[in-house]
Amino acid sequence: LFFLKYFDIKNLENSQNLSPSPRLEELQEENARLKYRLNILKKSLQEESLSHRGKAMLNINQRLQEVFGEAIRASCPELDNPPLSIAPSQQAKFGDYQCNSAMSMSQMLKAKGTKMNPREIAEKIIKNLPDNELVQKTEVAGPGFINIYLQKTFVSKQLSNLLINGVQPPPLPSKKKVVVDFSSPNIAKEMHVGHLRSTIIGDSMCRLFEFLGYEVLRLNHVGDWGTQFGMLIAHLQDMFPDYLTVSPPISDLQAFYKESKKRFDTEEEFKKRAYQCVVKLQSKEPEFIKGWNLICDVSRKEFQKIYDCLDIKLIERGESYYQDLMVEVVKEFEKKGLVELDEGRKVVFPPEQPIPLTIVKSDGGYTYDTSDLAAIRQRIFEEKADIIIYVTDSGQSTHFQVVFAAAQLIGWYNPKVTRVEHAGFGVVLGEDKKKFKTRSGDTVRLMDLLDEGLKRSMDKLKEKERDKVLTPEELTKAQRAVAFGCIKYADLSHNRNNDYVFSFDKMLDDRGNTAAYLLYAFTRIRSITRLAKIDEATLKKAAETTEILLDHEKEWKLGKCIQRFPEILQKILDDLLLHTLCDYLYELATTFTEFYDSCYCVEKDRQTGEVIKINMWRMLLCEATAAIMAKGFDILGLTPVERM
């Protein structure tokens, strides 16, 4: 009611035909009271909104967007969807964040016939800012930028919240299901560096979604079906005729595959029998299914060695899983009149796409197109996925673009409701800038690559004489953390859309933006509390009772950097570019070094080396930095160690 009354009074006040009235003063007083009550209500709504966020880290950028969004709408109500641009400032002299909306708003007003320069608009925005808990002051700079300065006490409270509650994800409006299709090697073939990229990137995406509270299905869409299995089973029958009763000792499946392929290409009789084996396998005759399973199991064991090294968890659901579903897919497209015949093939032409999909070959067989359509249909209708992500090389982008278009054409999903995306990636190059291969020109075996990483990381640790201070168990942990962490980070720290050069020397360098540097930095930060002889209970109590001061410029810089973590995760959630997290962790580590070089955390007696003073608020900043780094490592799939 008081809302209605408030607006009635405002209309009365603004009326051109207002005649003098003895009640005007009384109405103005009531208007002031209503304004006060309205501000109280707004403040309580803000507090309620913040309390709903609970223990989670606050996304400051998002909160500023809420505050400035309200001010922008109030400043120019005539604009539909006015632009809202908030970004961290690049230099401290321009504040902590900047709002850059005024220039675009000026152009939009001009298009509507209203002239207003950006600085005027910026001033109006500032005047319309609602009461809030995080902005200390604002100023208009240059042609209309708004420099935003944050309240130090607000950031300090957020850091205390982080230390008390741990690194908590923001609350999800609703529980969403995500399907990530990644790794996807072919049975009976070696995993190569392309599979390595898919595996590392896909796993990290899963880890991000899992941390944020999504239900994640990690799918390994292996190539476990097709004509090559007829060839492999025929060769298996010849080489190990008792395979049904005695498990065949196939130690090198790659060599076994090459032998069968050579026979398939040169022996006509063998080729004919291979095709007969395919028919019998597709008819699910038991002895052929047994042979197929034997070959798949040998491959799985080899794949699992790599997944165990890299700490990757996957659910295998290969092409064979979708075989029966393909029949339904073809029927559905035919029923809706979307199938055309082309030289005996059944094809689908999604609108505005460069190529059609072949869903049935001229010989009646199915294709990758049919398989991928069956997979997307199953993921939408049976898994009820809200988000589906395919992590494969960029060379497959056109294929997936056409598959997604066909799925929308038939009405399986609406892109405004269900997010379906191909997260492509570039190729891995050798140091000669050519496709990464062995000196003999063969594909690099992933197991060999991982073993080489282990050897080189141990050499690096011994070079730094870590073998003299670490126990054998600690040394092995450090070796694995550095080797596998460096291989993962070298991949993830590059924009996945680009090719990248694989170099052990660069990835093991402990200077610059590398896993080696970050892992050592983390270990150094963790050692500070050990050197100060502060236990976990003391730190926890301090987090609850000690105000984190941010008076020194390096304390303030570090505090703000820590608090940007939720913004970074939100950006990756939007664009699936994980190098942003790597860049952030490197920035956090270097910002911490600046802080530690300028601000004493522990003060010691120069003669005796005894600790004479501990600046607890700075120790808490160390702890907050380590907590964020540890969570960032976890999302990237890196394993930090306390001692290195």
Side-chain angles (χ1 to χ4, degrees):
L1 283 172
F2 77 78
F3 271 117
L4 293 170
K5 199 163 188 180
Y6 167 67
F7 288 116
D8 282 345
I9 293 164
K10 288 299 287 177
N11 289 336
L12 198 63
E13 230 179 15
N14 295 331
S15 171
Q16 294 298 313
N17 302 317
L18 184 68
S19 55
S21 164
R23 290 198 63 232
L24 180 58
E25 198 172 318
E26 184 187 331
L27 287 170
Q28 284 174 330
E29 282 178 16
E30 188 167 356
N31 186 21
R33 282 198 302 275
L34 289 172
K35 270 185 177 177
Y36 176 75
R37 287 172 69 188
L38 189 62
N39 284 333
I40 293 287
L41 181 64
K42 279 183 180 178
K43 199 163 188 178
S44 69
L45 285 169
Q46 281 176 11
E47 285 169 3
E48 189 181 348
S49 170
L50 287 173
S51 70
H52 277 315
R53 290 165 178 154
K55 298 176 179 179
M57 284 186 77
L58 181 73
N59 184 329
I60 287 181
N61 194 309
Q62 204 168 64
R63 181 74 188 106
L64 286 171
Q65 286 186 41
E66 290 169 10
V67 170
F68 276 80
E70 189 177 330
I72 285 168
R73 287 189 294 275
S75 303
C76 294
E78 66 270 40
L79 290 181
D80 295 325
N81 297 316
L84 177 57
S85 173
I86 306 278
S89 294
Q90 298 304 306
Q91 296 180 52
K93 65 181 180 181
F94 298 131
D96 304 313
Y97 283 81
Q98 278 191 330
C99 174
N100 305 329
S101 299
M103 283 73 80
S104 302
M105 290 168 69
S106 175
Q107 292 298 318
M108 289 174 77
L109 286 168
K110 189 178 178 183
K112 282 179 168 279
T114 304
K115 281 191 177 180
M116 192 182 296
N117 74 53
R119 284 187 68 90
E120 284 180 82
I121 296 169
E123 294 287 1
K124 279 186 81 176
I125 292 169
I126 288 171
K127 281 178 187 168
N128 280 294
L129 279 175
D131 288 342
N132 65 85
E133 71 294 344
L134 74 166
V135 178
Q136 185 207 358
K137 67 170 186 175
T138 53
E139 62 187 21
V140 178
F145 299 111
I146 301 173
N147 294 341
I148 305 162
Y149 295 82
L150 299 176
Q151 292 273 13
K152 287 184 179 177
T153 51
F154 171 77
V155 175
S156 174
K157 281 178 188 172
Q158 294 302 314
L159 292 169
S160 296
N161 176 61
L162 158 65
L163 289 164
I164 292 164
N165 299 307
V167 186
Q168 300 290 335
L172 277 179
S174 61
K175 186 93 170 176
K176 289 189 174 180
K177 185 165 186 180
V178 185
V179 172
V180 184
D181 178 327
F182 68 108
S183 194
S184 309
N186 290 311
I187 295 291
K189 291 184 182 178
E190 294 278 7
M191 283 180 76
H192 55 70
V193 286
H195 296 124
L196 180 66
R197 289 212 78 184
S198 176
T199 304
I200 290 169
I201 295 166
D203 175 62
S204 191
M205 285 180 187
C206 290
R207 287 169 179 268
L208 173 64
F209 282 114
E210 284 159 353
F211 170 64
L212 294 172
Y214 291 81
E215 182 188 350
V216 180
L217 180 58
R218 298 158 157 260
L219 288 186
N220 196 5
H221 188 88
V222 297
D224 66 350
W225 204 251
T227 53
Q228 75 270 28
F229 283 94
M231 171 183 90
L232 288 163
I233 292 168
H235 190 53
L236 180 73
Q237 289 171 337
D238 292 345
M239 298 299 293
F240 306 102
D242 57 352
Y243 77 90
L244 290 171
T245 52
V246 180
S247 187
I250 304 172
S251 57
D252 189 342
L253 195 56
Q254 182 80 349
F256 187 84
Y257 180 89
K258 284 179 179 175
E259 288 165 13
S260 64
K261 182 73 170 76
K262 187 178 177 183
R263 291 186 67 192
F264 186 84
D265 292 339
T266 58
E267 299 175 27
E268 200 55 43
E269 189 56 40
F270 178 82
K271 188 174 189 176
K272 195 183 292 182
R273 192 154 56 85
Y275 280 126
Q276 289 168 353
C277 289
V278 173
V279 174
K280 288 177 180 178
L281 175 63
Q282 289 174 343
S283 303
K284 299 188 178 172
E285 290 190 21
E287 67 178 89
F288 291 88
I289 290 290
K290 174 85 186 279
W292 172 71
N293 276 324
L294 282 168
I295 292 162
C296 289
D297 285 343
V298 174
S299 257
R300 282 189 195 107
K301 283 173 188 166
E302 292 303 309
F303 299 159
Q304 197 56 47
K305 287 177 189 174
I306 288 162
Y307 296 145
D308 288 344
C309 283
L310 298 173
D311 189 24
I312 308 290
K313 291 175 177 62
L314 281 153
I315 292 170
E316 186 186 303
R317 200 176 278 175
E319 289 170 7
S320 59
Y321 181 88
Y322 303 100
Q323 290 307 298
D324 294 341
L325 302 176
M326 292 195 223
V327 179
E328 297 304 315
V329 165
V330 174
K331 280 182 186 173
E332 195 171 336
F333 272 92
E334 286 180 326
K335 191 177 176 184
K336 296 206 173 176
L338 299 172
V339 176
E340 294 182 32
L341 284 173
D342 178 46
E343 296 180 354
R345 298 178 303 146
K346 291 182 179 178
V347 296
V348 174
F349 287 89
E352 299 175 16
Q353 295 306 313
I355 53 171
L357 291 175
T358 299
I359 59 171
V360 181
K361 293 188 288 185
S362 56
D363 64 3
Y366 297 127
T367 67
Y368 285 124
D369 295 349
T370 335
S371 172
D372 282 331
L373 284 169
I376 196 170
R377 182 177 181 266
Q378 192 274 339
R379 292 164 188 180
I380 291 166
F381 294 109
E382 291 181 33
E383 299 300 343
K384 303 198 180 323
D386 301 290
I387 301 169
I388 306 171
I389 296 164
Y390 296 79
V391 186
T392 72
D393 67 89
S394 296
Q396 296 187 52
S397 59
T398 301
H399 166 72
F400 282 112
Q401 177 188 316
V402 182
V403 168
F404 300 161
Q408 289 171 52
L409 172 67
I410 202 168
W412 289 346
Y413 79 95
N414 178 347
K416 291 179 182 174
V417 178
T418 306
R419 179 180 178 183
V420 180
E421 196 167 331
H422 174 232
F425 54 80
V427 299
V428 182
L429 305 174
E431 294 190 69
D432 58 359
K433 305 289 173 70
K434 293 177 181 175
K435 213 165 181 181
F436 192 48
K437 292 190 181 286
T438 63
R439 285 183 182 177
S440 62
D442 292 332
T443 303
V444 178
R445 290 180 75 246
L446 280 199
M447 209 60 232
D448 293 344
L449 196 72
L450 299 180
D451 287 341
E452 179 70 11
L454 284 169
K455 179 187 171 297
R456 291 197 186 215
S457 67
M458 182 58 82
D459 291 345
K460 190 80 177 177
L461 288 163
K462 285 180 176 176
E463 184 188 306
K464 294 171 77 73
E465 300 190 333
R466 304 314 294 157
D467 54 320
K468 294 178 182 176
V469 292
L470 300 176
T471 67
E473 187 186 355
E474 286 174 335
L475 188 63
T476 301
K477 275 187 179 176
Q479 177 197 22
R480 292 179 71 83
V482 171
F484 303 144
C486 285
I487 289 170
K488 287 183 179 184
Y489 193 86
D491 192 317
L492 295 167
S493 61
H494 291 84
N495 184 323
R496 64 172 163 78
N497 292 308
N498 301 334
D499 300 343
Y500 92 94
V501 174
F502 190 98
S503 165
F504 273 122
D505 290 339
K506 283 182 183 174
M507 64 178 71
L508 288 165
D509 194 341
D510 56 10
R511 296 159 299 177
N513 188 6
T514 66
Y517 169 76
L518 289 174
L519 288 166
Y520 285 124
F522 177 81
T523 305
R524 283 197 300 275
I525 296 167
R526 296 305 265 161
S527 70
I528 295 166
T529 48
R530 282 202 305 275
L531 293 170
K533 295 180 180 172
I534 300 173
D535 60 23
E536 201 174 317
T538 305
L539 275 171
K540 193 167 185 183
K541 189 177 178 185
E544 293 168 350
T545 56
T546 305
E547 182 186 357
I548 298 174
L549 303 175
L550 300 168
D551 297 332
H552 192 286
E553 63 170 321
K554 299 300 181 184
E555 292 170 340
W556 180 229
K557 186 178 179 182
L558 179 60
K560 288 186 295 177
C561 190
I562 291 167
Q563 201 53 42
R564 274 184 35 234
F565 186 59
E567 298 172 28
I568 298 300
L569 298 190
Q570 183 57 53
K571 184 179 184 305
I572 301 166
L573 195 63
D574 294 338
D575 62 22
L576 302 177
L577 295 172
L578 289 150
H579 70 276
T580 307
L581 178 55
C582 299
D583 292 344
Y584 167 75
L585 290 174
Y586 179 61
E587 182 189 345
L588 181 61
T590 53
T591 303
F592 177 84
T593 301
E594 287 179 29
F595 153 78
Y596 194 64
D597 288 346
S598 304
C599 304
Y600 288 116
C601 298
V602 180
E603 296 180 35
K604 294 182 179 180
D605 185 289
R606 289 188 179 182
Q607 263 73 44
T608 65
E610 282 185 41
V611 174
I612 53 174
K613 186 182 179 185
I614 294 172
N615 295 318
M616 191 54 81
W617 80 93
R618 288 176 178 165
M619 296 302 297
L620 292 175
L621 273 171
C622 295
E623 192 66 13
T625 305
I628 294 295
M629 285 186 80
K631 180 49 68 180
F633 288 164
D634 186 53
I635 291 169
L636 296 173
L638 276 60
T639 306
V641 286
E642 292 291 320
R643 281 165 59 79
M644 189 180 288

